[in-house]
Amino acid sequence: MTLAVTKAAAPIRERLVKPELLAPAGSLEKLKFAVHYGADAVYIGGQKYGLRSNADNFSIAQMREGVEFAAKYGAKVFVATNIYAHNEDLPGLESYLKDLEDVGIAAIITADPAIIEAAKRAAPGLEIHLSTQQSTMNWQAVQFWKEEGVSRVVLAREASFAEIRDIKRHVDIEIETFIHGAMCSSYSGRCVLSNHFTDRDSNRGGCCQSCRWKYDLFEEGAEQPPISLTGSDDDKFMMSAKDLSMIEAVPGLIESGVDSLKIEGRMKSLHYVATVVNAYRRAIDAYCDDPEHYVLNEDWLEEIHKAANRPLNTGYYFDEPDHEDHIYTPEDKSADYDFAGVVLDYDPVSQIAAIQQRNHFKPGQEAEFFGPDGTLFKQTIGELRDEEGHLLDAARHPLQIVSMKAEFPVKPMDLMRMQKR
């Protein structure tokens, strides 16, 4: 899909407000990096009632630590409680919601009216954000949820720019929209393929990502093996949607009055979260600081592509996706960089950095360092030593701490990546 517009047709700068940048955090470490790299708020999953049951979900103690860390940056933490509950899910719900309130969680993201009512009773200090699982597409539905006590509505991913602007004109309530990440081939949350194929309920946190599987068509009959109608050498059909990326449309998003811009990806890597969050942080700040002279920085686009898992498009914002906006062949892993390490410490006198290894690297390879404060440079890796000072021919052990010279200053929580060969 071609992006033709980056600004709203009718600018409304007299009430231009910087929107919240909301990032995913599938673990406590990812939460800290999301906030450090520029998120105003993060959304996480607890060990109950969320739709990412395979993520490294948070205990109450980890939530407390995450809230305390985020508070140092002026950021908030939201918790997804977005399952559609069955009867057996309800015992213990109110106690869980009260625990969330007690540790300082700012809001829950939920779709089930039973959970909404339980939150109002048991934890009135929690804001209630309506999940995209409700597929909200019009202002009258938004008004309904406002009257039910919801303070923010996360619109369906299928909402267009025109629909978002119309909703904002009619209803005085916070609106959140997805701006980056995976798209659903069905209306978000309404797919039942996972249940049908694997007995894993998408609406209770068990989605098996069946839209990412390979499929083929076969001639009906008893032939063994079955006869493929597409040809044995053809790529197998896939129904997977391309990923959403609105980095080029940040001005229009801000001018539309959307209150929160949401990045998808609680299952994505630390490198993905940090890279994507920082690119959007820079674009949002640049436009809000000087709308009249804003220019899209090509470096932000390059950063997005360094973390991209799939081909990108603009979803439903400008028009309805067509056949060109789906992936029909085995996925092209477009990201050409691997996450290699995290900077733990740096001595400016010796220029030696302590790096925690996250992927194999060795002397002679080219590494790229980047960080939220503008660090961005490439260098050839020189001598590597372990914590005892022994020379290494490679950093090959997970989480191994090694020391190496950094040609320019780096800071703790800066990241190192390697271009794939």
Side-chain angles (χ1 to χ4, degrees):
M1 183 179 296
T2 301
L3 180 63
V5 182
T6 59
K7 293 187 179 182
I12 48 176
R13 291 193 188 115
E14 63 273 15
R15 56 186 179 89
L16 184 65
V17 176
K18 184 180 292 188
E20 171 189 274
L21 178 59
L22 177 58
S27 68
L28 182 58
E29 182 183 46
K30 292 174 188 176
L31 179 153
K32 293 179 179 180
F33 275 82
V35 171
H36 184 68
Y37 276 72
D40 298 305
V42 294
Y43 63 100
I44 66 175
Q47 295 176 343
K48 300 177 182 178
Y49 306 110
L51 285 187
R52 290 293 182 268
S53 58
N54 292 324
D56 295 330
N57 291 314
F58 287 63
S59 67
I60 295 298
Q62 289 173 323
M63 289 183 191
R64 181 178 289 106
E65 183 177 345
V67 167
E68 291 173 353
F69 180 90
K72 296 176 183 177
Y73 290 78
K76 298 178 180 180
V77 180
F78 308 149
V79 171
T81 57
N82 51 350
I83 68 166
Y84 282 103
H86 291 229
N87 291 327
E88 62 266 27
D89 296 318
L90 297 178
L93 171 60
E94 292 192 6
S95 176
Y96 176 73
L97 295 171
K98 186 68 172 72
D99 287 343
L100 299 186
E101 182 183 41
D102 289 344
V103 301
I105 297 301
I108 58 168
I109 306 168
T110 190
D112 192 319
I115 298 178
I116 292 173
E117 293 302 311
K120 291 193 293 186
R121 287 193 305 269
L126 284 175
E127 290 184 20
I128 301 171
H129 297 176
L130 188 74
S131 171
T132 192
Q133 299 299 113
Q134 272 290 352
S135 299
T136 308
M137 292 285 295
N138 64 79
W139 70 262
Q140 292 188 34
V142 173
Q143 180 64 30
F144 169 84
W145 288 112
K146 178 183 177 182
E147 293 169 3
E148 290 297 308
V150 169
S151 61
R152 178 186 296 186
V153 171
V154 187
L155 296 181
R157 287 175 170 90
E158 296 76 23
S160 69
F161 252 137
E163 289 168 325
I164 292 168
R165 294 187 189 113
D166 197 36
I167 289 169
K168 287 297 296 183
R169 281 194 292 267
H170 280 90
V171 182
D172 182 19
I173 185 176
E174 289 187 1
I175 295 298
E176 178 179 308
T177 61
F178 281 90
I179 59 167
H180 198 92
M183 296 286 283
C184 191
S185 290
S186 175
Y187 268 81
S188 300
R190 306 306 172 115
C191 176
V192 295
L193 287 177
S194 179
N195 304 56
H196 177 70
F197 289 143
T198 68
D199 198 28
R200 288 169 52 181
D201 191 342
S202 300
N203 281 319
R204 300 178 82 187
C207 181
C208 69
Q209 301 287 306
S210 50
C211 60
R212 309 292 184 190
W213 294 2
K214 297 179 182 179
Y215 295 87
D216 202 353
L217 297 174
F218 297 94
E219 183 177 356
E220 185 177 9
E223 291 84 357
Q224 293 296 329
I227 298 174
S228 169
L229 296 178
T230 61
S232 59
D233 294 330
D234 292 344
D235 289 328
K236 306 305 180 186
F237 172 82
M238 300 180 74
M239 67 184 79
S240 179
K242 292 181 179 179
D243 279 6
L244 174 67
S245 177
M246 292 292 285
I247 187 73
E248 296 179 71
V250 162
L253 289 164
I254 296 172
E255 297 277 8
S256 73
V258 170
D259 300 277
S260 181
L261 306 179
K262 186 172 191 173
I263 298 167
E264 182 274 340
R266 280 195 285 138
M267 299 291 288
K268 299 289 178 62
S269 71
L270 185 156
H271 172 253
Y272 175 94
V273 171
T275 302
V276 173
V277 166
N278 197 239
Y280 279 97
R281 176 78 279 152
R282 292 176 182 275
I284 292 167
D285 289 351
Y287 185 74
C288 289
D289 288 346
D290 190 359
E292 295 297 333
H293 300 97
Y294 173 85
V295 176
L296 178 71
N297 190 323
E298 292 297 322
D299 289 344
W300 305 334
L301 284 173
E302 185 178 350
E303 287 295 295
I304 290 292
H305 285 288
K306 286 177 181 177
N309 291 289
R310 302 184 187 95
L312 305 173
N313 70 4
T314 56
Y316 289 79
Y317 277 94
F318 297 97
D319 52 27
E320 292 192 4
D322 59 20
H323 65 282
E324 294 182 351
D325 297 297
H326 287 74
I327 303 169
Y328 299 107
T329 59
E331 292 179 8
D332 176 19
K333 300 296 184 182
S334 56
D336 58 355
Y337 280 80
D338 281 326
F339 176 31
V342 177
V343 175
L344 301 180
D345 199 6
Y346 174 73
D347 180 356
V349 176
S350 65
Q351 296 183 289
I352 297 298
I355 309 290
Q356 186 183 64
Q357 188 261 31
R358 298 301 178 93
N359 256 311
H360 182 281
F361 60 89
K362 62 184 179 180
Q365 291 182 312
E366 185 177 68
E368 181 174 86
F369 287 89
F370 73 102
D373 298 326
T375 299
L376 183 62
F377 66 91
K378 294 180 180 180
Q379 71 167 68
T380 300
I381 297 173
E383 188 176 271
L384 293 177
R385 293 184 181 273
D386 64 18
E387 291 182 275
E388 287 72 42
H390 301 133
L391 279 172
L392 300 171
D393 63 349
R396 56 169 51 88
H397 304 298
L399 304 181
Q400 180 182 20
I401 297 175
V402 301
S403 60
M404 59 176 280
K405 184 174 182 178
E407 295 180 1
F408 296 93
V410 291
K411 297 178 181 178
M413 298 183 77
D414 284 356
L415 301 181
M416 186 178 86
R417 58 191 170 204
M418 312 287 296
Q419 190 160 17
K420 297 176 183 177
R421 294 182 174 180

